[in-house]
C-alpha cells in the first residue's frame, strides 16, 4: 500500500515543480497540497474502500483546479501551456476511474463522471464513458437517453442518436421513457430542419416554393431571407434541369467547375428533387416518428399515460409543427378507440379542439365551443369522474383567458356543470371540493354571504362522505373564518366527530391544536379546559399504532407534534416551570420519542443555558434523547455542540468517547465532529414543528387544491 502511494506521490513532482516555478502556488501551499493528497491516497488504499473518500478527493481536486485556473488567468505574461495545465483534470479522471472500478454499480458516480467530462469538453473520453456505462448498465434508461442526447445536441449526429435509442428499446422494450425520447428526438430533428428551411426561404410545398421563387410580394417575409426573383420561364427551366451554356469568356477552372455542377444537376432527376420537398420526404413528414409511436403502442398497448405522453410531446412544439394534423389526429383516434371507457382519455379527446390553439389565437373561441359540446356528450353517461374532469378543465380555461366574454361563458358553463350534477344526484368527494372552491374563488357576492352558502354545501358533503379528510378540513377552515360565537357553537362538535374518524390525519390534529390555543387566547375556554383537552389528545395519539409502513408515515409526526404543541402552549402560559412539570408528567404517562425530547431541549435553551438548573435539565433530556436511538449521530453532535458552547469540555470528551463506541461509523462521526468544531455543521430540526396561529382566514385559506 505504501509503495503504491509513494509511486503516485512521485508522479506529482514535475507538476509541483512547474506550479512553483510559475509562481501559482508557494512552497508552503505545495507542501500542504502534497500532504493532503497523501492523506487521500492512503484513505483510498484502506482494506475496505469508501465511496465518500473518493468523492472527497475529487471535490478537493476540483476546488484546487479552480483555484489554479484563477491564479493562472492573472498571469498575462506567461500564456504558454505546460504540464501543470493538464495534470489537474487528468488526475480527476484517474480518481474517477479508480472509483468506478470499486463502485461500478453506482449510477450517481457515473452521472457525476459524465457531467465532469462534459464540462471539460473531453469529447473522445465522453464517448468511451458512455460506452462503458451502457455496457455495465444496459437496463438503465437514463444512460441511453443521456448518450443519445449527447450525440444529437453536441455532435449533431442524428444517425448515432437513433442507433443508440433503437438499441436501448431493443433491450428495454417496455420502458416508456425510451419510446417517448425516441419520438421526441425525431420531432426535434424535423422541427430543426423546418426552422432552417423557413429562415432560408425554402418552403414545404411546390406552390409555395414557386411563389417564393417568383417573388410573391404578399408572402410574409419577416422571418425569411428574401431570394432574388426569377421569371416563370427560368423556374420551369430550373425544374427540368436544363443548364445555361457556360460563358466562353470564363477561365478554364470555372468552366470545369460548371461542367461538374452540370453533371450533378443532370444526376438529380425530377423524382429525386421531389423527394427533397417536405410533403414527399418521409422523414420530414414525420413518418419515422409515427412508426415509433405505432410500435410503442403495439408493445405497450394498455397504458393511457404512455399514450398521452406521445400527445404531450407532439403538442409541446409551437411553430413550426413537426407533425402534420393527420398524424396528431391518429394519436387522438388511437386513444379514443383503445380507452373509450376511461374518463381521463375521453377528457383528453374532448380537449383536442381547444389544445390546437393558444388562448389569444383566432380559432380558440370555436375550439372552446366544440370542446364544451364533446364534454357534455361524454357526461351523458352520468360518470362522476367525467363531471369532475369537465369542471376542472373549464376552471383552468377560465383562469387562463382574459377576454371578458369568454370568462363569462366559462363561468356559466361551470355553474351549469354543478347544477346538472346536483340534479342527477352525482355527488362525489372531488366534485364537492371543486364546487366549494369555485364558489369561494369566483363569486361576486360578499365573502360573508358566499361563505354561508359554501358551508351549507360542505355540511351536506360531509354528511354524505364522513370518511373524507379533505372535506372535513375544508369545513373546519371555512368555519374558522366565521365569528367566534359561530366557531364555538359548531367546532367542538365537528372536532369530536373528526378526531374519531380521522385520528391519523396530521392536518386535523393541527387544526384542533390551533382551535384550542386560539380559544384560550380569546377566553372562550379556561386554562383547565385547554390543558385537559391537550392531555386527552396526547392520550389518543399515544395509542396509535407505530408508523412501520410508508402509508402510516404521518403517525410519528402526529405523536411528536401534539406533544410539542402542548409544550409550546404551556410555555406561553406558565413559562419554563410549567414546561418542566408537563414534560416530567408526560414522560411517565406516554412513551416520548426523539422529537419530544428535542422540543423540550429547545424550550429549555430558549429559557436559559447559563443557570445550573437549566444545564442539568438539558443534560438529562439529552441523555433520554440518546436512549431513544443510541446510533443517531445528530443527537450526539447536538449534545456536543451544547457542551462545547457552555464550556463543559470534560463532559464533552466523555460524550465523544461514548458516541465513538455507539455509532456505526466512528471515522465518519469524527469527521462530522471536526466540522462542528469548525462551525460547518448545521443542526437538523429533529422534526420539531412550530404551530402558527391566529392567521386571518379568508378565501385563499379555505380553498383547497
Amino acid at each position: 500500500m505504501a509503495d503504491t502511494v509513494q509511486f503516485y506521490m512521485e508522479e506529482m513532482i514535475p507538476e509541483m515543480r512547474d506550479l512553483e516555478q510559475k509562481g501559482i502556488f508557494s512552497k508552503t501551499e505545495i507542501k500542504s497540497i502534497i500532504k493532503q493528497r497523501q492523506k487521500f491516497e492512503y484513505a483510498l488504499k484502506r482494506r475496505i474502500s469508501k465511496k465518500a473518500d473518493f468523492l472527497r478527493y475529487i471535490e478537493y481536486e476540483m476546488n484546487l483546479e479552480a483555484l489554479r485556473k484563477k491564479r493562472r488567468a492573472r498571469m498575462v505574461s506567461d500564456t504558454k501551456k505546460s504540464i501543470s495545465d493538464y495534470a489537474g483534470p487528468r488526475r480527476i479522471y484517474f480518481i474517477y476511474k479508480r472509483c468506478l472500478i470499486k463502485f461500478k454499480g453506482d449510477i450517481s458516480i457515473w452521472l457525476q463522471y459524465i457531467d465532469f467530462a462534459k464540462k471539460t469538453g473531453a469529447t473522445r473520453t465522453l464517448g468511451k464513458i458512455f460506452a462503458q456505462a451502457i455496457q455495465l448498465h444496459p437496463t438503465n434508461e437514463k444512460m441511453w437517453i443521456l448518450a443519445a442526447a449527447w450525440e444529437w445536441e453536441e455532435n449533431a449526429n442524428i444517425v448515432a442518436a437513433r442507433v443508440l435509442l433503437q438499441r436501448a428499446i431493443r433491450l428495454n422494450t417496455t420502458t416508456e421513457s425510451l419510446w417517448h425520447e425516441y419520438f421526441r428526438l425525431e420531432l426535434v430533428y424535423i422541427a430543426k430542419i423546418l426552422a432552417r428551411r423557413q429562415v432560408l426561404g425554402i418552403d414545404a410545398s411546390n406552390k409555395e416554393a414557386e411563389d417564393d421563387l417568383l417573388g410573391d410580394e404578399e408572402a410574409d417575409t419577416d422571418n425569411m431571407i428574401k431570394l432574388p426573383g426569377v421569371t416563370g420561364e427560368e423556374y420551369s427551366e430550373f425544374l427540368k434541369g436544363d443548364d445555361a451554356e457556360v460563358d466562353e469568356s470564363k477561365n478554364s477552372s470555372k468552366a470545369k467547375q460548371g461542367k461538374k455542377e452540370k453533371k450533378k444537376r443532370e444526376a438529380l432527376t425530377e423524382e429525386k428533387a421531389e423527394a427533397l420537398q417536405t410533403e414527399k420526404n418521409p422523414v420530414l413528414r414525420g413518418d419515422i416518428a409515427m412508426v415509433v409511436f405505432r410500435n410503442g403502442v403495439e408493445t405497450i398497448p394498455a397504458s393511457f399515460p404512455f399514450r398521452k405522453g406521445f400527445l404531450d410531446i407532439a403538442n409541446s412544439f409551437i411553430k413550426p409543427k413537426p407533425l402534420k394534423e393527420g398524424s396528431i389526429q391518429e394519436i387522438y383516434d388511437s386513444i379514443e378507440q383503445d380507452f373509450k371507457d376511461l374518463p381521463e382519455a375521453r377528457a383528453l379527446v374532448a380537449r383536442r379542439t381547444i389544445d390546437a390553439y393558444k388562448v389569444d389565437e383566432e380559432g380558440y373561441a370555436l375550439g372552446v365551443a366544440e370542446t364544451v359540446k364533446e364534454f357534455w356528450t361524454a357526461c351523458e353517461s352520468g360518470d362522476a369522474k367525467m363531471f369532475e374532469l369537465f369542471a376542472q378543465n373549464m376552471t383552468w380555461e377560465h383562469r387562463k383567458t382574459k377576454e371578458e366574454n369568454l370568462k363569462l361563458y366559462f363561468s356559466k358553463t361551470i355553474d351549469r356543470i354543478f347544477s346538472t350534477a346536483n340534479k342527477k344526484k352525482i355527488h362525489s368527494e372531488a366534485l364537492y371540493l371543486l364546487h366549494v372552491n369555485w364558489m369561494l374563488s369566483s363569486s361576486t357576492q360578499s365573502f360573508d354571504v358566499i361563505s354561508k352558502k359554501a358551508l351549507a354545501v360542505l355540511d351536506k358533503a360531509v354528511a354524505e362522505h364522513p370518511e373524507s379528510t379533505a372535506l372535513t378540513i375544508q369545513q373546519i377552515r371555512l368555519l374558522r373564518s366565521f365569528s367566534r360565537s359561530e366557531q364555538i357553537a359548531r367546532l367542538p362538535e365537528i372536532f369530536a366527530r373528526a378526531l374519531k374518524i380521522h385520528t391519523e390525519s396530521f392536518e386535523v390534529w393541527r387544526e384542533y391544536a390551533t382551535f384550542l390555543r386560539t380559544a384560550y387566547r380569546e377566553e372562550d375556554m379556561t386554562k383547565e379546559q385547554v390543558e385537559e383537552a391537550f392531555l386527552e389528545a396526547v392520550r389518543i395519539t399515544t395509542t396509535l399504532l407505530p408508523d412501520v409502513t410508508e402509508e402510516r408515515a404521518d403517525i410519528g409526526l402526529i405523536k411528536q407534534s401534539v406533544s410539542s404543541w402542548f409544550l409550546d402552549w404551556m410555555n406561553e402560559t406558565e413559562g419554563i416551570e410549567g414546561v418542566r412539570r408537563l414534560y416530567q408528567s408526560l414522560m411517565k404517562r406516554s412513551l416520548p420519542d426523539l422529537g419530544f425530547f428535542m422540543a423540550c431541549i429547545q424550550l429549555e435553551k430558549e429559557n436559559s443555558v447559563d443557570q445550573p438548573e437549566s444545564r442539568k435539565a438539558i443534560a438529562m433530556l439529552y441523555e433520554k434523547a440518546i436512549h431513544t436511538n443510541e446510533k443517531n449521530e445528530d443527537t450526539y453532535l447536538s449534545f456536543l455542540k451544547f457542551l462545547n458552547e457552555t464550556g463543559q469540555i470534560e463532559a464533552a470528551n466523555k460524550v465523544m468517547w461514548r458516541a465513538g463506541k455507539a455509532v456505526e461509523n466512528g471515522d465518519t462521526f469524527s469527521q462530522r465532529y471536526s466540522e462542528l468544531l469548525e462551525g460547518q455543521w448545521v443542526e437538523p430540526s429533529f422534526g420539531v414543528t412550530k404551530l402558527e396561529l391566529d392567521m386571518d382566514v379568508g378565501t385563499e385559506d379555505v380553498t383547497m387544491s
Side-chain angles (χ1 to χ4, degrees):
M1 181 174 79
D3 292 342
T4 307
V5 173
Q6 185 63 27
F7 172 73
Y8 289 147
M9 301 308 295
E10 288 174 0
E11 279 193 327
M12 300 176 194
I13 293 173
E15 175 198 352
M16 295 292 103
R17 189 175 293 155
D18 188 48
L19 289 169
E20 185 182 354
Q21 287 174 355
K22 287 186 172 182
I24 295 175
F25 293 121
S26 64
K27 281 188 177 181
T28 307
E29 288 173 327
I30 287 172
K31 285 181 181 179
S32 175
I33 292 168
I34 292 171
K35 186 178 179 181
Q36 194 66 32
R37 283 178 175 174
Q38 190 176 38
K39 181 182 174 182
F40 280 123
E41 289 293 345
Y42 274 114
L44 300 190
K45 285 296 177 182
R46 69 175 79 191
R47 183 169 296 176
I48 300 175
S49 301
K50 296 180 181 179
K51 183 175 74 170
D53 294 329
F54 284 99
L55 296 179
R56 286 195 195 101
Y57 194 2
I58 290 168
E59 185 181 7
Y60 172 78
E61 288 295 338
M62 284 182 174
N63 293 335
L64 184 66
E65 178 62 14
L67 178 62
R68 185 201 67 78
K69 284 181 177 179
K70 284 183 180 179
R71 293 187 178 182
R72 182 78 170 80
R74 297 193 197 111
M75 301 170 63
V76 184
S77 58
D78 186 9
T79 56
K80 187 178 179 182
K81 289 192 175 182
S82 58
I83 186 171
S84 61
D85 294 301
Y86 309 105
R90 190 167 55 194
R91 180 171 291 101
I92 296 170
Y93 279 115
F94 183 50
I95 299 167
Y96 266 123
K97 287 177 182 177
R98 290 158 67 190
C99 180
L100 287 167
I101 290 171
K102 295 281 186 182
F103 305 100
K104 57 177 68 113
D106 195 316
I107 298 294
S108 63
I109 300 176
W110 281 105
L111 294 176
Q112 290 180 41
Y113 190 19
I114 289 167
D115 186 55
F116 175 72
K118 283 182 178 179
K119 287 178 180 177
T120 54
T123 307
R124 288 186 181 180
T125 306
L126 197 54
K128 292 177 183 177
I129 294 169
F130 276 125
Q132 292 171 357
I134 287 170
Q135 188 176 10
L136 289 167
H137 301 281
T139 58
N140 187 284
E141 67 273 14
K142 192 168 186 179
M143 287 296 180
W144 290 100
I145 293 168
L146 280 173
W150 173 70
E151 286 289 358
W152 166 237
E153 293 170 3
E154 301 298 328
N155 300 335
N157 192 340
I158 185 66
V159 176
R162 280 175 179 153
V163 168
L164 280 167
L165 288 175
Q166 286 167 4
R167 288 177 181 172
I169 289 171
R170 199 176 303 128
L171 292 170
N172 307 278
T173 315
T174 57
T175 304
E176 295 182 0
S177 59
L178 289 172
W179 289 100
H180 286 157
E181 291 306 318
Y182 190 11
F183 185 73
R184 191 195 308 276
L185 173 69
E186 292 298 337
L187 297 192
V188 170
Y189 176 62
I190 296 168
K192 189 173 182 179
I193 291 177
L194 292 179
R196 185 183 298 169
R197 287 187 166 203
Q198 187 178 9
V199 170
L200 294 174
I202 304 172
D203 237 11
S205 64
N206 283 334
K207 188 177 183 306
E208 291 174 349
E210 183 174 317
D211 289 342
D212 287 341
L213 286 169
L214 290 172
D216 186 4
E217 294 179 358
E218 295 181 0
D220 181 13
T221 57
D222 289 344
N223 296 315
M224 295 169 58
I225 297 174
K226 182 87 173 183
L227 296 179
V230 294
T231 64
E233 189 177 0
E234 288 173 331
Y235 178 66
S236 301
E237 292 296 317
F238 169 77
L239 288 178
K240 291 177 183 177
D242 293 341
D243 298 302
E245 293 192 7
V246 180
D247 190 353
E248 293 180 358
S249 63
K250 293 183 179 180
N251 55 44
S252 59
S253 61
K254 288 186 178 180
K256 289 179 182 178
Q257 186 178 355
K259 288 179 180 179
K260 288 181 181 179
E261 292 296 328
K262 180 180 178 180
K263 288 180 180 179
K264 287 181 182 178
R265 286 196 295 271
E266 286 175 350
L268 186 64
T269 62
E270 186 177 345
E271 189 175 327
K272 290 180 180 178
E274 286 180 352
L276 294 175
Q277 298 165 6
T278 306
E279 284 92 348
K280 298 181 181 179
N281 188 312
V283 176
L284 299 182
R285 280 202 313 261
D287 289 3
I288 296 178
M290 292 309 295
V291 167
V292 174
F293 166 73
R294 295 183 195 111
N295 289 342
V297 168
E298 187 178 343
T299 307
I300 310 172
S303 174
F304 169 68
F306 175 61
R307 203 81 59 94
K308 182 177 178 292
F310 287 108
L311 196 58
D312 292 339
I313 293 168
N315 287 332
S316 65
F317 293 87
I318 304 172
K319 284 184 181 180
K321 282 271 188 184
L323 271 189
K324 303 300 179 187
E325 288 301 323
S327 299
I328 294 176
Q329 187 61 41
E330 182 182 338
I331 300 175
Y332 274 115
D333 291 343
S334 75
I335 293 172
E336 188 173 15
Q337 181 181 350
D338 296 342
F339 303 99
K340 56 187 174 183
D341 296 328
L342 189 67
E344 290 83 355
R346 298 184 72 181
L348 182 67
V349 172
R351 281 189 60 91
R352 65 182 144 188
T353 52
I354 206 173
D355 287 335
Y357 302 97
K358 288 185 180 180
V359 179
D360 54 354
E361 287 185 344
E362 188 178 346
Y364 178 74
L366 292 174
V368 168
E370 188 64 30
T371 295
V372 169
K373 183 181 176 181
E374 291 200 31
F375 263 117
W376 279 122
T377 303
C379 286
E380 288 175 0
S381 61
D383 189 347
K385 185 66 179 176
M386 201 67 242
F387 275 90
E388 293 167 18
L389 292 168
F390 192 6
Q392 281 177 358
N393 279 276
M394 293 299 102
T395 306
W396 293 338
E397 297 304 320
H398 178 270
R399 290 173 185 166
K400 279 164 49 178
T401 187
K402 294 180 181 178
E403 210 277 319
E404 289 302 323
N405 290 328
L406 276 175
K407 270 189 170 295
L408 182 61
Y409 177 75
F410 284 127
S411 296
K412 296 289 184 184
T413 303
I414 294 167
D415 290 336
R416 185 185 167 198
I417 292 168
F418 292 124
S419 63
T420 304
N422 190 40
K423 287 177 183 176
K424 292 186 176 183
K425 296 183 179 181
I426 300 170
H427 301 140
S428 68
E429 175 190 351
L431 201 58
Y432 271 126
L433 285 171
L434 287 166
H435 191 188
V436 171
N437 286 340
W438 171 250
M439 291 173 70
L440 293 171
S441 62
S442 65
S443 178
T444 55
Q445 296 177 317
S446 67
F447 181 71
D448 291 340
V449 173
I450 199 62
S451 60
K452 285 182 170 56
K453 292 182 179 179
L455 184 61
V457 175
L458 278 171
D459 289 341
K460 181 182 176 184
V462 171
E464 291 183 15
H465 303 277
E467 76 290 346
S468 170
T469 305
L471 285 171
T472 301
I473 292 171
Q474 184 86 322
Q475 183 187 35
I476 292 168
R477 287 181 180 172
L478 186 57
L479 266 168
R480 282 183 56 212
S481 67
F482 283 43
S483 66
R484 290 300 307 166
S485 59
E486 290 175 298
Q487 290 186 48
I488 294 300
R490 291 205 57 190
L491 281 176
E493 180 186 350
I494 291 172
F495 277 120
R497 175 188 55 79
L499 293 175
K500 288 180 181 178
I501 301 173
H502 311 290
T503 314
E504 298 180 3
S505 169
F506 174 80
E507 285 299 323
V508 171
W509 282 108
R510 190 176 188 280
E511 292 292 337
Y512 183 51
T514 303
F515 165 72
L516 291 177
R517 293 177 64 174
T518 308
Y520 174 73
R521 191 204 65 178
E522 298 291 335
E523 299 182 353
D524 295 322
M525 294 177 71
T526 64
K527 181 177 178 298
E528 290 73 19
Q529 287 175 324
V530 174
E531 186 170 348
E532 185 181 347
F534 264 123
L535 285 171
E536 179 64 14
V538 171
R539 186 193 66 77
I540 294 171
T541 54
T542 303
T543 59
L544 294 175
L545 294 173
D547 50 325
V548 294
T549 61
E550 188 177 347
E551 291 78 10
R552 296 172 56 81
D554 275 355
I555 300 299
L557 182 61
I558 291 169
K559 291 180 179 180
Q560 175 183 314
S561 298
V562 170
S563 300
S564 298
W565 296 332
F566 192 5
L567 287 165
D568 285 340
W569 174 78
M570 187 60 73
N571 188 44
E572 290 175 6
T573 54
E574 293 188 18
I576 196 64
E577 293 299 326
V579 170
R580 287 171 183 163
R581 175 180 62 81
L582 177 59
Y583 68 62
Q584 288 169 0
S585 172
L586 292 178
M587 282 190 283
K588 294 175 183 177
R589 294 188 182 199
S590 59
L591 297 172
D593 57 6
L594 174 62
F596 171 80
F597 290 116
M598 297 310 294
C600 296
I601 289 167
Q602 187 173 329
L603 291 172
E604 287 282 2
K605 286 180 178 179
E606 289 174 1
N607 176 60
S608 175
V609 293
D610 298 325
Q611 298 176 3
E613 188 178 359
S614 295
R615 291 187 180 185
K616 185 178 178 181
I618 291 170
M620 180 271 293
L621 290 167
Y622 266 120
E623 291 293 342
K624 291 190 176 293
I626 287 170
H627 283 307
T628 61
N629 184 0
E630 294 189 349
K631 293 184 178 182
N632 190 323
E633 295 183 4
D634 288 327
T635 313
Y636 285 109
L637 289 171
S638 180
F639 194 9
L640 287 166
K641 182 181 179 182
F642 163 72
L643 293 172
N644 283 313
E645 286 176 349
T646 53
Q648 302 177 68
I649 306 302
E650 187 177 347
N653 291 335
K654 290 180 181 178
V655 172
M656 182 64 190
W657 182 83
R658 283 171 53 199
K661 298 287 184 183
V663 298
E664 291 183 355
N665 192 321
D667 293 338
T668 305
F669 180 75
S670 298
Q671 174 113 19
R672 296 186 70 194
Y673 183 53
S674 300
E675 292 174 359
L676 185 150
L677 295 175
E678 293 170 3
Q680 298 177 357
W681 181 72
V682 179
E683 187 168 1
S685 65
F686 294 99
V688 179
T689 56
K690 286 287 183 184
L691 188 64
E692 295 183 11
L693 300 175
D694 308 329
M695 297 178 292
D696 294 328
V697 181
T699 308
E700 293 181 359
D701 299 309
V702 296
T703 54
M704 298 180 69
S705 58

